[in-house]
Amino acid sequence: MQVLPLQSGAPTKECPPHGRLIVLTGPSGVGKGTLMQALLQRHPELYYSVSVTTRSPRPGEISGKNYYFISRDKFEQLVAQGEFLEWAEFAGNYYGTPREAVLDHIRSGKLVVLEIELEGARQIRTSFPSALSIFILPPSFPELENRIRGRAQDSEEAIARRLHRAQEEIKAADEFDLQIVNDDFETALNHIEAALFA
Ligand code: ADP
Ligand code: 5GP
């Protein structure tokens, strides 16, 4: 993980009403995106924050739906302008959460969900102590590797970086308010739903 020599994803003191911000984190390939899609189908009233990234789109990914895909130069410019609520470098690419869109939706009373990696989740915990943080765990490491490979959308190099990073991320699972194992998909989805609407 590198930090840009610009302004960091600095914590802010913009505190939302309790429980309006949800952070979903877990290793690449654990099923976060699939769980999010299913959750949004059940609860269209949720606001899913579309992140900005310098990663190239995977087949089928749509700009504005999955991510906003931009260049590294543009990303660094947005960091310097303070446009991100948090940002981090992951497996060689930058990822960040657009500040204003998220704050606007929190202000309008929405339940806002961020699907972000560990460093970003740590930044959010500092700036939004009342956020609910959830860590999604795989049933086993071999199963995580199966899922990343089964997705068949990353290069060998990208897979190796993600698996290496996954080991570090899983060690940090205890930092989160809740840990949910995504073994049986429906069970995991029901647990997330129960946590959000408790
Ligand atoms: P992430 O967003 O965490 O990187 P994805 O949502 O892309 O992960 O899921 C990675 C792969 O794992 C996908 O092919 C998805 O269909 C599959 N998957 C997700 N949840 C489960 C599950 N509970 N059991 C088996 N496969 C799953
Ligand atoms: P992927 O390239 O597989 O879509 O995402 C790689 C990792 O970046 C995942 O763990 C995902 O949750 C995380 N990620 C996606 N958007 C953001 C973001 O805005 N900020 C941070 N910190 N991580 C993100």
Side-chain angles (χ1 to χ4, degrees):
M1 184 70 52
Q2 290 174 13
V3 175
L4 278 174
L6 298 170
Q7 173 193 335
S8 75
T12 66
K13 290 295 165 203
E14 297 140 311
C15 281
H18 180 76
R20 305 314 294 175
L21 190 58
I22 312 291
V23 177
L24 203 63
T25 300
S28 182
V30 75
K32 302 180 300 296
T34 316
L35 286 164
M36 261 318 302
Q37 287 310 314
L39 195 63
L40 284 169
Q41 283 202 335
R42 282 193 192 176
H43 295 280
E45 75 277 15
L46 291 174
Y47 175 71
Y48 168 70
S49 165
V50 178
S51 296
V52 180
T53 185
T54 61
R55 166 165 81 60
S56 304
R58 294 182 180 129
E61 284 188 328
I62 297 166
S63 191
K65 178 170 183 275
N66 304 94
Y67 284 104
Y68 296 101
F69 298 98
I70 66 170
S71 68
R72 288 180 80 88
D73 281 354
K74 179 71 184 167
F75 193 99
E76 291 177 7
Q77 193 184 324
L78 294 176
V79 169
Q81 291 168 355
E83 295 286 342
F84 294 122
L85 209 52
E86 61 72 37
W87 62 267
E89 185 166 15
F90 179 93
N93 290 297
Y94 293 134
Y95 296 81
T97 301
R99 175 188 298 278
E100 278 314 312
V102 166
L103 294 180
D104 280 352
H105 283 88
I106 291 171
R107 284 186 205 111
S108 70
K110 287 251 180 190
L111 203 54
V112 174
V113 186
L114 310 182
E115 192 242 282
I116 61 177
E117 54 68 69
L118 179 62
E119 295 303 329
R122 285 176 170 155
Q123 293 171 39
I124 293 292
R125 259 207 313 274
T126 305
S127 33
F128 297 91
S130 64
L132 173 69
S133 64
I134 303 175
F135 194 92
I136 310 293
L137 285 158
S140 69
F141 204 77
E143 171 61 13
L144 180 68
E145 182 164 358
N146 283 342
R147 288 186 193 171
I148 294 185
R149 291 190 182 282
R151 188 166 61 187
Q153 289 188 334
D154 297 300
S155 66
E156 263 315 302
E157 193 211 348
I159 291 172
R161 293 174 96 158
R162 280 152 199 272
L163 287 174
H164 178 72
R165 181 76 192 136
Q167 292 176 336
E168 295 307 309
E169 292 194 314
I170 289 170
K171 282 186 205 154
D174 286 351
E175 293 176 16
F176 289 70
D177 297 320
L178 276 178
Q179 297 80 31
I180 293 175
V181 179
N182 181 20
D183 188 356
D184 175 67
F185 186 83
E186 285 298 314
T187 306
L189 184 60
N190 289 340
H191 280 143
I192 296 174
E193 189 179 31
L196 263 59
F197 297 98

